[in-house]
Amino acid sequence: MWTRMLQGGIAFPPGTPLPGVRSKVSEACNRTLSIPVLAHKRNRGYIYRKCKNRVLNSKCAGEEKRVGTRTVFVGHRPVSETDAYIEQKFCDNRIVSSKYTVWNFLPKNLFEQFRRIANFYFLIIFLVQVIVDTPTSPITSGLPLFFVIIVTAIKQGYEDWLRHRADKEVNKSSVFIVENAKQVKKHSEKIKVGDIVEVKADETFPCDLIFLASSNDDGICYVTTASLDGESNFKTHYAVRDTIGLRTDDDIDSLTATIECEQPQSDLYKFVGRINIYRSNQEPVARSLGPESLLLKGSTLKNTKKIYGVAVYTGMETKMALNYQGKSQKRSAVEKSINAFLMVYLCILVSKATVCTTLKYVWQSNPFNDEPWYNQKTKKERDAFKILRMFTDFLSFMVLFNFIIPVSMYVTVEMQKFLGSFFIAWDKEMYDEEIQEGALVNTSDLNEELGQVEYVFTDKTGTLTENSMKFIECCIDGHKYSGGMSEVDGFSHTDGPMTYYGKALKCREELFLRALCLCHTVQIKEGDNVDGLIVNQECSTYISSSPDEIALVKGAKKYGFTFLGHENDFMKVQNQKNEIEKYQLLHVLNFDPVRRRMSVIVKTSAGKFLLFCKGADSSVFPRVQQDEIQQTKVHVERNAMDGYRTLCVAFKELTQEDYKKIDGQLSEAKMALQDREEKMARIFDDIETDMHLIGATAVEDRSWTVSQEYGLIVDGSTLSLILNPSQDSSSSNYKSIFLQICLKCAAVLCCRMAPLQKAQIVKMVKNTKGNPITLSVGDGANDVSMILEAHVGIGIKGKEGRQAARNSDYAVPRFKHLRKLLLGHGHLYYVRIAHLVQYFFYKNLCFILPQFLYQFFCGFSQQPLYDAAYLTMYNICFTSLPILAYSLLEQHINIETLTSDPRLYMKISDNAMLQWKPFLYWTFLGTFEGLVFFFGVYFLFQNSSLEDNGKVFGNWTFGTIVFTILVFTVTLKLALDTRFWTWMNHFVIWGSLAFYVFFSFFWGGIIWPFLKQQRMYFIFAHMVTSISAWLAIVLLIFISLFPEILLVVFKNAKRKNHQTVPFNLPMLLSYKPMENGYISEMKIKDAVTNLTHHHHLRVPQMQQL
């Protein structure tokens, strides 16, 4: 087949040194090196052992220097019995995706958890309580800490157990290895590099294999890679011509060959290698190997009975395993705010401890206060070093007030993010019936970041459009030919009559249509249904990874030239006279996003050598005769303005001498193991010059969007000058000027960009002043770089595979789903988690402030206000579930309203709810309520007799009344904030209050044998028998919540009186804040219209919400 020619298969004549090939050494070379050899054969791969102090990597003359390559011996057979080998070590075929083992789980997990500052802080506090005589039991800080550690460890352990189970299922699957001309059944994990593996139809490849032979006579097999990149269409792979006849176990076992290839790397679409085949009494033959020869682990064999392949990468060195290793961690703005607030509260904690320590020694400066008659000091206490005593007291106060730091907030935030991600995945409105899939959450750490996006960068093709191609028209030598031909995932149908606008010369028409029939990578699958593709009337289907290539081939068919497929090394075309023309395919110069064009070199039956090229106008026009451009350029620009994808077609005729030179250069470059792609690119660049322009095509990619209006348009070549300026001072400011212009525009359209340029644009905006939150959307592999660069990456489950979806933080079936994901889910999750964070700091301030004030009334003796059980359970049991339910279910505004009004999204932008102003408001609120709790009960206790029998209440009753008011107030505060009530909210809010009351009765109703002091015995029961205590509790709760109640009433009254003006805003357009409100239309809308489809390459569109 033609691709075997493409692989650069070249047989060297006897005596020719093999460049870079470690092979059976020729006799002449052996004589030169004088290598004595020892036979050493084992069932592994081998490398050469150079004896007599020879260097291991000594080379024959002409062998290039190689770095980072491996040599694999096919079937573990030595090249000859006279060579010496040592066993070469490769990793086994076990897949290990798990993070822990039984032995390292405990130490490794604890180490990772205590790397978190809050956990480490509470560990230190716990150790201080254990070592130093502190006022509270170590249980008060130890139990919440251990609860957080245990819950997190269980969650991570369970997730890792699932990974272990999945690994075992893969590693224990059965495979067949060919050994001594027999098939041996083994577990997948037993495969070693060099093993020859047989894979049958519909089986998954167990490791990365070099394709040797198949059941098909032509050495072809079909593969799907849906589990790797999501592409369900068939990919065609080819064996080298020298091994395609080895279709039985006996034949394949007779093969003596070595494979040299690059070391493992993660790129699914790149592979560089060569196979050296040895035959008796013949010089070895070297053939180049490329991606079309590599069968990847995880892909599936289709429509082929069986194949033989040799393992080159196994286990964790397979491309699949390398691709699933972790991405860099992204942190949300909320996490940064939490850390900032934590530092503030840590300063408050240190300040409280410092104040109390200082005032304690001021208080004790009076001898009566320092050593009252009823509490005389021991000799040890009198002799203690004063500085040491002060430091110990400081630590004791730190322990007493340490609950102001909300350690349980971290586990609550983690649970909120984890559980909240399921609501996104379960959203039925983001479920697509066509692909039977919904939204996918790859990371739950950024849910709230979806509500903070300021700039959206989006790919065009397949993202803003359907990637559903329809052939519209073409021009030949400036003459327009209009007709309809649509292409959706490989199925084609005629769509209307042809229309001609003038005519080019007949020979030029035929040349153009032959170019369309020959310059492509389309394959034909005969008489079968290919993974959902619809079979045409001739029982054959065009297969290609690019729908627009099929649309062009079918467009040529519309005008009478039909591509009939490949036959060995020839491409067959049926012309307008129904004659079959055959062209020998000599070389394919593959498309890449840098060149933005592809070419083929063919040989006609008359012996002529022709080069056909198609590509973007910006990459083709500079390489053709300049006097031929203008007549075609007019049509290209008009088609581009109409939103069509345009391609220019060119050709040139090569002489016999030209082709021999080109063939030699390509063959040499294809044999290189190092820098093969760079060498090929330079040769391609030299070949594709001095061409003649024939015409251009226009293909429509249907759009999913309604409005396509843009403010600034810039192309890739201009961006190169801007982003990579020269050294002179005048060009160094281009980037800054360009950025300023972009930020003032409503939207920016960047055309014809390379993947790296997409990432550069994202990075440029991301690093501007204020560090705005960026979001990138794309559906193809060329969008991965910008998806990873942005704060939030969204993958579209489109028709170009799932590379973008796999590398994204979130994936959705359609671009339209971005509306609800951002304006709905993003808005709500940000509001929820912002409220959660502020609420946690607020309720802990309410909790600890009375404890601080109490020290002024107990001589700074570090006497706790609350019982140890209350200290322990406040954050774990009494107040945790209501805020968790709120953070998952709250909808302060109806989700339909949120998605219809982008201005609501603007109100929470720039992390509005976690700025210092709302933080200070919550801090003031906590301070106010803490003062009310303490002094309200303090004034109540001015009358020490609160019972009819004259019995007085003690300090534990005082603390219990304060704690009861505290629990009810912070819980009812959350109830006041709740706008969307469900049965779950009712259950956790009222249930938590009921549980507190029940626990207090239970805790104080029993004499616990493990407690030294029964200080809480019957305290709560006695308290609730007092009418005064009841009145105080109700009154103080009301006073604490009164400002909040007033605020709610005021907001409701304002909302009723506010007249909202109806508006209709297009989805996800730019609404930049202006002096007179918001703009909903572009000032320059008349300059350019319908530019969403502007060019055939991917286009990131930058929009500021």
Side-chain angles (χ1 to χ4, degrees), residues 323-447:
N323 267 274
Y324 281 95
Q325 292 177 358
K327 305 188 293 283
S328 60
Q329 188 71 21
K330 294 181 180 180
R331 294 179 60 210
S332 69
V334 170
E335 289 184 58
K336 297 173 185 176
S337 297
I338 290 176
N339 291 337
F341 297 162
L342 195 65
M343 293 304 298
V344 171
Y345 270 66
L346 193 60
C347 291
I348 293 174
L349 170 62
V350 173
S351 300
K352 285 183 176 181
T354 303
V355 168
C356 287
T357 303
T358 304
L359 292 180
K360 176 178 181 176
Y361 284 89
V362 171
W363 166 266
Q364 290 181 350
S365 61
N366 184 332
F368 176 77
N369 295 332
D370 183 35
E371 194 173 353
W373 61 270
Y374 56 84
N375 190 17
Q376 296 290 317
K377 290 184 179 180
T378 63
K379 185 176 184 302
K380 181 180 179 181
E381 290 174 332
R382 291 193 185 98
D383 296 339
F385 189 47
K386 190 172 184 180
I387 299 297
L388 180 61
R389 281 194 290 119
M390 292 179 66
F391 179 70
T392 303
D393 286 333
F394 175 79
L395 291 179
S396 298
F397 280 117
M398 288 283 289
V399 169
L400 189 64
F401 303 142
N402 82 86
F403 289 94
I404 196 172
I405 306 297
V407 65
S408 60
M409 178 182 68
Y410 286 95
V411 73
T412 307
V413 166
E414 201 166 298
M415 292 176 66
Q416 190 265 356
K417 291 183 175 183
F418 175 71
L419 297 175
S421 63
F422 288 100
F423 289 90
I424 296 176
W426 292 338
D427 193 327
K428 293 182 179 179
E429 292 184 14
M430 292 196 291
Y431 183 84
D432 186 73
E433 293 291 343
E434 182 180 341
I435 63 174
Q436 297 291 300
E437 291 185 45
L440 175 67
V441 180
N442 292 326
T443 173
S444 59
D445 294 336
L446 302 173
N447 292 348

Side-chain angles (χ1 to χ4, degrees), residues 172-385:
K172 297 298 181 182
S173 60
S174 297
V175 296
F176 289 93
I177 311 296
V178 178
E179 293 181 0
N180 300 320
K182 295 181 180 179
Q183 291 192 12
V184 180
K185 188 176 181 180
K186 292 184 178 181
H187 286 151
S188 175
E189 63 184 359
K190 300 296 184 182
I191 296 177
K192 294 170 289 196
V193 170
D195 281 346
I196 297 177
V197 182
E198 182 188 81
V199 180
K200 297 180 180 178
D202 298 320
E203 291 182 351
T204 300
F205 299 117
C207 59
D208 290 350
L209 304 170
I210 291 297
F211 180 27
L212 297 177
S214 74
S215 56
N216 299 329
D217 295 340
D218 53 7
I220 288 179
C221 73
Y222 298 100
V223 167
T224 58
T225 57
S227 61
L228 292 175
D229 57 16
E231 295 187 14
S232 58
N233 57 307
F234 282 17
K235 294 180 175 63
T236 309
H237 288 258
Y238 307 87
V240 295
R241 65 177 65 184
D242 304 85
T243 63
I244 60 175
L246 307 176
R247 293 193 289 272
T248 66
D249 295 342
D250 290 328
D251 292 339
I252 202 70
D253 194 60
S254 66
L255 175 64
T256 301
T258 61
I259 293 173
E260 289 181 286
C261 59
E262 61 188 358
Q263 292 293 355
Q265 53 108 347
S266 60
D267 195 321
L268 294 175
Y269 309 102
K270 292 182 180 179
F271 176 75
V272 175
R274 59 185 168 221
I275 183 170
N276 312 304
I277 302 168
Y278 308 98
R279 299 184 180 93
S280 300
N281 302 319
Q282 296 183 25
E283 284 296 322
V285 175
R287 306 288 184 191
S288 67
L289 301 173
E292 67 281 348
S293 305
L294 186 67
L295 304 174
L296 298 178
K297 177 182 176 66
S299 52
T300 305
L301 184 65
K302 293 287 186 181
N303 285 71
T304 309
K305 291 182 180 179
K306 69 174 183 179
I307 64 99
Y308 292 106
V310 58
V312 287
Y313 304 131
T314 52
M316 300 308 294
E317 292 184 342
T318 60
K319 290 182 179 289
M320 184 185 77
L322 295 175
N323 267 274
Y324 281 95
Q325 292 177 358
K327 305 188 293 283
S328 60
Q329 188 71 21
K330 294 181 180 180
R331 294 179 60 210
S332 69
V334 170
E335 289 184 58
K336 297 173 185 176
S337 297
I338 290 176
N339 291 337
F341 297 162
L342 195 65
M343 293 304 298
V344 171
Y345 270 66
L346 193 60
C347 291
I348 293 174
L349 170 62
V350 173
S351 300
K352 285 183 176 181
T354 303
V355 168
C356 287
T357 303
T358 304
L359 292 180
K360 176 178 181 176
Y361 284 89
V362 171
W363 166 266
Q364 290 181 350
S365 61
N366 184 332
F368 176 77
N369 295 332
D370 183 35
E371 194 173 353
W373 61 270
Y374 56 84
N375 190 17
Q376 296 290 317
K377 290 184 179 180
T378 63
K379 185 176 184 302
K380 181 180 179 181
E381 290 174 332
R382 291 193 185 98
D383 296 339
F385 189 47

Side-chain angles (χ1 to χ4, degrees), residues 830-851:
Y830 173 75
V831 171
R832 291 165 180 169
I833 202 167
H835 199 283
L836 181 152
V837 171
Q838 299 280 27
Y839 179 79
F840 255 97
F841 284 107
Y842 147 81
K843 73 184 181 73
N844 279 31
L845 181 59
C846 293
F847 181 37
I848 291 303
L849 182 59
Q851 177 72 76

Side-chain angles (χ1 to χ4, degrees), residues 57 64-70 261-263 673-675:
N57 286 325
E64 66 183 3
K65 180 181 178 181
R66 300 186 317 281
V67 179
T69 61
R70 62 169 53 182
C261 59
E262 61 188 358
Q263 292 293 355
L673 291 184
Q674 297 297 324
D675 304 323

Side-chain angles (χ1 to χ4, degrees), residues 800-865:
E800 293 191 19
R802 300 297 170 86
Q803 302 96 314
R806 285 191 302 107
N807 287 276
S808 64
D809 303 303
Y810 303 87
V812 291
R814 296 284 185 266
F815 181 81
K816 65 180 181 180
H817 297 144
L818 198 62
R819 176 183 186 177
K820 188 173 185 182
L821 187 64
L822 295 185
L823 303 185
H825 291 290
H827 184 115
L828 290 176
Y829 277 115
Y830 173 75
V831 171
R832 291 165 180 169
I833 202 167
H835 199 283
L836 181 152
V837 171
Q838 299 280 27
Y839 179 79
F840 255 97
F841 284 107
Y842 147 81
K843 73 184 181 73
N844 279 31
L845 181 59
C846 293
F847 181 37
I848 291 303
L849 182 59
Q851 177 72 76
F852 171 71
L853 297 173
Y854 186 59
Q855 298 307 303
F856 288 84
F857 296 87
C858 66
F860 305 98
S861 62
Q862 300 151 11
Q863 168 67 32
L865 176 62

